[in-house]
Amino acid sequence: VAGGEDCLWYVDRNGSWHPGFDCEFFTFCCGTCHQRYCCRDPLRLLTERQQRHCLAFSPKTIAGIASAVVLFIAIVTTIVCCFMCSCCYLYQRRQQSRTPLQGPEIPLSSYPPAAPPAHFPVDPKTGPTPPQPGFNPMAMYPPPDPTAQYPMYSYGPPVYNPTAPPPYVPAQPSYPGA
């Protein structure tokens, strides 16, 4: 075993921090995880690997790592829940920023149903086929007018009207002596 082993920093049993120090030539770092000193006895040698093991598995280190992991999981869980809960600000914000293609589907029940597919191939040389018995042709609907469906919807930004009354503001209670 070579001499000159260094003693790394350590924390004693009272929780006090002690800086690391160098041992002289032909002396070694001896002691325990909580008390270190230089000595000449190689049987009491505390190698740097053993000293690092003391630091890595101390109760304070394990408690610090465990609390950091729990805090990380709590933050991630809170963020995920906030994006999923309808009462949370982030969920409402995400719903407002959806594009129209992602919005709710509008039922098209007022439009006529599509024509059923033909059961036989149509020869283009023969021309139009005569109407079938019991089938009355219907007139095509004109395309819907968007203003007829949504009469209250105004296009463009709101117009400023300086003569309009201010928006409703509820009256504040007055306190005596105020």
Side-chain angles (χ1 to χ4, degrees), residues 5 7 21-24 27-30 36-40:
E5 274 299 312
C7 288
F21 53 92
D22 294 333
C23 293
E24 294 180 13
T27 60
F28 312 102
C29 184
C30 301
R36 298 186 188 154
Y37 54 91
C38 294
C39 71
R40 294 187 189 268

Side-chain angles (χ1 to χ4, degrees), residues 113-120 135:
H119 296 290
F120 53 90
F135 177 75

Side-chain angles (χ1 to χ4, degrees), residues 6-7 10 12 15-16 21 32 45 48 62 97 103-104 107 113 122 127 129-130 160 167-168 172 174 176:
D6 296 333
C7 288
Y10 66 98
D12 63 14
S16 299
F21 53 92
T32 64
L45 170 68
E48 286 188 19
I62 293 172
S97 66
V122 177
T129 58
Y160 174 72
Y168 175 74
Q172 298 294 326
S174 61

Side-chain angles (χ1 to χ4, degrees), residues 63-78:
I65 292 171
S67 62
V69 168
V70 167
L71 182 64
F72 176 76
I73 290 172
I75 289 171
V76 169
T77 303
T78 302

